[in-house]
Amino acid sequence: MKLKDFLLENVIDGSSALSTNVSIPSSSVQCLDANIVVHRKSYLKDFMKNGSTLKISDFTGFCFEGATEFRQFLMAYQNKSGHDLQFLKNSATRITAICSSSSSGCLFKVHASSDVGQLSRFFIRNLIADHSCGGGLTNSNKPALSSEFVKSLIIDEIRDRPNKKPKDIMADFRREFNLTLSYRYAYKGKQLALTELYGDDAMSYNDLSWYLGALQTHNPGSYVAMDVDSSTNQFERVFVGFGACILGFKYCRPMIFLDGTYLKGRPRVLMGATAKNGNQGIILY
Ligand SMILES: [Zn+2]
């Protein structure tokens, strides 16, 4: 679906969506069709690619999923329009931004807020979209960026290619958005995307106790042992022997082969044991 069509389907009031200066009372904003959410993830990326043909007023009536998403939208707007914004209010419930050239008389102003008690329903309530300061000049070498913003643009790509290198992300930004992305932002954006997709790897150690209990319950004959530091309760090591493998080893030659690999991002080693049976078959421990 083209972004323009997506917006036309998703704004509350199609007629006000294409006007330049709008004011929407919060009571007039209704719920959006839930199945539209399917297309949400790519709209920010599409805006970055096609921003020159889109106006900020196209997004009036659009339901942003909270202040964080609206901030990222404004970041995309700054990059595409070349106009720097200055925040007058910036909280989880309301955001007001004006043009950084307001002291020269530019009247641009956007105010957005959440519905009462629903932080995840964030709408533009007031907009003066015209910049009387003249056309913004984009500087692709000094983009408005944050790690969260980079994450939002690359998360779909990282889902398909979790091993994508920061250097390749930087090249994509240059090619797709004409933006110079530093290695630091590329790296941090990728880490945030991985955390959102797969959870925090440090926190995942908390799930080990649950996993080992479930393994013993549902895989009879399995043997597990976990050591933790008695003073800090921090994980040290774990041993897992699956029931079927323990059974299989009884029929193997009396020699065990050990191998290990370092786990990325953590000073940990994953070790595995294998043995050969009489038919040259390999059993993995
Ligand atoms: Zn301006």
Side-chain angles (χ1 to χ4, degrees):
M1 180 186 282
K2 288 264 191 305
L3 181 59
K4 198 101 180 175
D5 299 331
F6 165 64
L7 285 170
L8 285 172
E9 279 190 20
N10 285 276
V11 294
I12 304 305
D13 177 354
S15 60
S16 72
L18 296 176
S19 66
T20 307
N21 299 327
V22 296
S23 176
I24 303 173
S26 56
S27 58
S28 72
V29 177
Q30 304 298 317
C31 238
L32 292 174
D33 187 345
N35 61 26
I36 296 302
V37 171
V38 174
H39 304 289
R40 290 193 66 85
K41 291 299 176 191
S42 61
Y43 88 87
L44 199 62
K45 196 170 179 180
D46 288 346
F47 181 65
M48 286 294 289
K49 283 183 182 174
N50 307 310
S52 55
T53 59
L54 289 162
K55 297 188 289 292
I56 193 168
S57 54
D58 292 339
F59 288 82
T60 54
F62 181 77
C63 182
F64 295 92
E65 291 179 329
T68 301
E69 186 180 298
F70 186 67
R71 276 186 210 106
Q72 291 176 13
F73 168 72
L74 288 184
M75 203 163 270
Y77 169 76
Q78 289 179 86
N79 283 316
K80 293 312 294 182
S81 71
H83 292 288
D84 283 334
L85 299 184
Q86 183 184 339
F87 288 82
L88 300 182
K89 292 181 186 130
N90 194 353
S91 71
T93 55
R94 55 186 182 163
I95 291 175
T96 306
I98 58 174
C99 178
S100 60
S101 301
S102 61
S103 56
S104 312
C106 182
L107 296 175
F108 175 92
K109 183 176 184 180
V110 59
H111 172 70
S113 64
S114 60
D115 281 355
V116 177
Q118 295 190 70
L119 295 179
S120 61
R121 288 171 49 80
F122 215 84
F123 292 91
I124 294 176
R125 311 288 182 181
N126 229 293
L127 174 65
I128 301 172
D130 292 329
H131 281 273
S132 48
C133 60
L137 293 174
T138 55
N139 183 351
S140 63
N141 290 319
K142 284 188 176 178
L145 289 172
S146 72
S147 307
E148 277 286 337
F149 180 63
V150 174
K151 177 206 76 177
S152 297
L153 292 173
I154 65 172
I155 192 162
D156 287 341
E157 177 78 12
I158 297 299
R159 183 183 286 111
D160 296 338
R161 293 178 56 200
N163 293 325
K164 185 164 185 169
K165 291 185 165 62
K167 273 187 175 178
D168 294 330
I169 296 171
M170 292 160 69
D172 282 357
F173 263 63
R174 170 59 75 185
R175 189 178 65 252
E176 292 185 36
F177 310 130
N178 192 31
L179 288 181
T180 301
L181 183 68
S182 69
Y183 185 91
R184 177 170 161 267
Y185 274 124
Y187 177 82
K188 289 191 78 175
K190 180 190 167 184
Q191 294 307 311
L192 286 176
L194 287 173
T195 300
E196 182 165 319
L197 291 169
Y198 304 112
D200 187 300
D201 63 340
M203 293 300 291
S204 68
Y205 283 91
N206 286 339
D207 296 332
L208 266 178
S209 295
W210 170 86
Y211 172 74
L212 297 178
L215 185 66
Q216 286 179 302
T217 304
H218 300 289
N219 198 330
S222 296
Y223 177 82
V224 300
M226 182 164 70
D227 288 343
V228 296
D229 187 308
S230 56
S231 57
T232 62
N233 217 25
Q234 274 195 332
F235 171 83
E236 287 194 330
R237 63 185 73 82
V238 65
F239 177 87
V240 175
F242 296 103
C245 295
I246 292 171
L247 206 62
F249 264 107
K250 289 182 183 172
Y251 306 99
C252 287
R253 300 174 187 182
M255 181 176 286
I256 285 180
F257 303 88
L258 288 174
D259 199 2
T261 182
Y262 286 98
L263 299 178
K264 274 192 172 178
R266 297 278 150 192
R268 303 280 184 201
V269 180
L270 174 69
M271 297 195 73
T274 53
K276 271 190 170 183
N277 63 21
N279 290 327
Q280 308 293 348
I282 293 176
I283 289 186
L284 179 68
Y285 210 145

